[in-house]
Amino acid sequence: MKKMSFQRCARTDKGVSAAGQVVSLKVWLIDNIVERINEHLPSHIRVLGLKRVTGGFNSKNKCDARTYMYVLPSFAFAHKDWDGPLEEYRLSVDTLKQVNRLFSCYKGTHNFHNFTSQKGPKDPSANRYIMEMYCEEPFIREGMEFAVVKIKGQSFMLHQIRKMIGLVIAIVKGYAAESIMERSWGEVKVDIPKAPGLGLVLETVHFEKYNQRFGNDGLHEALDWAEERDKIAAFKEEYIYPTIIETEKNEKSMANWLSTLTVHDFDATSSEIQTNEQKNGKDDGSGEDSD
């Protein structure tokens, strides 16, 4: 691996899929190299394309931003007083507007020490820049309504995205006040629920600065997804969406997690939060890109 200078752009932990990952390495440019590599890979792991880059290129260090998506059943946003069958819930226009208004509050630079572990409020690395976050229009699969949340940021810490989504769900459902968002960026410790790992997908990675400098120099290609867009869409439809939806329907990970929101105390002190975390057991180790 060292001789090949292998490096992955973003890390995806247990339970997190990837649709648009990039790795950099040195290879001999033999004929049909992509097809020959794929012959040795399982069907759910595919190399979609290959591009020549500058000498010493490092996919992790040259990455400007990462976009994740989170697929979830829309009943996650149903108010806690809604008592109908979960599979019959349909996301209303007003609720979707509320969800997107809350997600937009994350845009910009904030201190996300409460959205990860082992980082204090004084740690500079807890400050992260979010470029966009929104929920798309819902869609129905196998009789159940789902929605996709998109989030683009420079980088993310362990569990950060899942906690960002978990907090918005808690607010929309009526378990937490909206003011908790501003308080969570301060120095006090805030008890923030972490949404299930199922549904989190690394959708794409961005190389905007690299493309500006080398994308049109006549020697290198821009590192974008224009040529692979259809392949990625087909891959998500064949492997990612069915896996997430089938697992959710069979294991009910979101429904089970929603039932735990009542145990969270959003006004708890630091000592109370630590006690609750100990009672709830150790972390499941499932997360997103991390330092």
Side-chain angles (χ1 to χ4, degrees):
M1 284 295 189
K2 288 184 179 179
K3 290 183 179 180
M4 296 172 65
S5 302
F6 182 91
Q7 180 60 265
R8 81 289 186 275
C9 182
R11 189 180 77 177
T12 53
D13 291 340
K14 182 183 71 175
V16 180
S17 302
Q21 175 71 287
V22 167
V23 299
S24 52
L25 71 164
K26 297 177 181 178
V27 295
W28 291 103
L29 294 178
I30 59 177
D31 293 338
N32 303 318
I33 184 171
V34 172
E35 290 80 5
R36 296 181 68 173
I37 293 174
N38 283 330
E39 288 176 358
H40 299 276
L41 296 174
S43 60
H44 62 281
I45 300 177
R46 297 283 90 184
V47 175
L48 301 179
L50 182 146
K51 293 187 177 183
R52 182 174 179 268
V53 293
T54 57
F57 176 86
N58 182 299
S59 59
K60 181 180 179 182
N61 295 341
K62 294 297 183 181
C63 180
D64 302 311
R66 298 153 176 85
T67 295
Y68 281 81
M69 68 179 192
Y70 188 84
V71 184
L72 76 169
S74 65
F75 65 68
F77 297 119
H79 193 272
K80 63 181 179 180
D81 295 333
W82 194 82
D83 58 359
L86 294 180
E87 63 273 12
E88 294 182 8
Y89 179 82
R90 298 295 181 262
L91 190 64
S92 69
V93 174
D94 289 342
T95 301
L96 181 58
K97 287 181 179 179
Q98 180 192 15
V99 168
N100 280 326
R101 178 175 58 80
L102 292 170
F103 278 146
S104 68
C105 294
Y106 286 125
K107 292 170 65 175
T109 301
H110 300 286
N111 188 325
F112 286 99
H113 73 96
N114 274 309
F115 294 78
T116 188
S117 58
Q118 300 178 343
K119 285 190 186 292
K122 302 293 187 181
D123 191 335
S125 67
N127 291 301
R128 299 291 163 130
Y129 178 58
I130 306 301
M131 301 169 184
E132 61 181 6
M133 189 170 187
Y134 59 92
C135 181
E136 296 182 338
E137 292 288 335
F139 58 92
I140 296 177
R141 293 289 175 88
E142 299 183 21
M144 185 182 296
E145 188 177 72
F146 289 83
V148 175
V149 176
K150 295 285 185 71
I151 175 170
K152 180 181 179 181
Q154 284 183 337
S155 62
F156 299 95
M157 298 176 290
L158 186 66
H159 302 148
Q160 180 185 341
I161 296 174
R162 290 168 60 191
K163 288 203 168 194
M164 293 169 71
I165 292 172
L167 181 57
V168 168
I169 289 175
I171 294 173
V172 173
K173 294 187 75 66
Y175 289 109
E178 289 190 24
S179 59
I180 194 79
M181 296 188 76
E182 285 287 343
R183 190 156 65 89
S184 69
W185 299 322
E187 294 190 2
V188 298
K189 182 71 173 175
V190 177
D191 182 15
I192 296 180
K194 180 178 61 185
L198 178 68
L200 185 61
V201 179
L202 173 64
E203 180 165 68
T204 187
V205 288
H206 307 268
F207 298 90
E208 292 161 8
K209 291 181 180 178
Y210 175 89
N211 289 341
Q212 289 175 1
R213 184 173 181 182
F214 300 106
N216 297 306
D217 65 356
L219 298 174
H220 307 93
E221 300 176 80
L223 299 182
D224 57 37
W225 300 92
E227 297 178 8
E228 291 79 24
R229 189 171 291 114
D230 291 341
K231 296 178 184 178
I232 292 175
F235 183 84
K236 289 192 291 188
E237 288 292 336
E238 184 174 0
Y239 294 103
I240 294 179
Y241 287 139
T243 299
I244 293 172
I245 291 170
E246 182 179 355
T247 304
E248 175 60 42
K249 295 194 73 171
N250 292 336
E251 300 181 4
K252 297 178 171 54
S253 61
M254 178 58 72
N256 292 333
W257 174 78
L258 290 173
S259 66
T260 69
L261 289 178
T262 57
V263 305
H264 287 271
D265 185 354
F266 298 99
D267 297 315
T269 63
S270 296
S271 59
E272 290 171 337
I273 292 173
Q274 186 175 11
T275 300
N276 289 336
E277 289 175 347
Q278 292 172 347
K279 286 181 180 179
N280 291 332
K282 294 183 179 180
D283 202 287
D284 62 7
S286 168
E288 50 269 9
D289 192 42
S290 58
D291 292 336

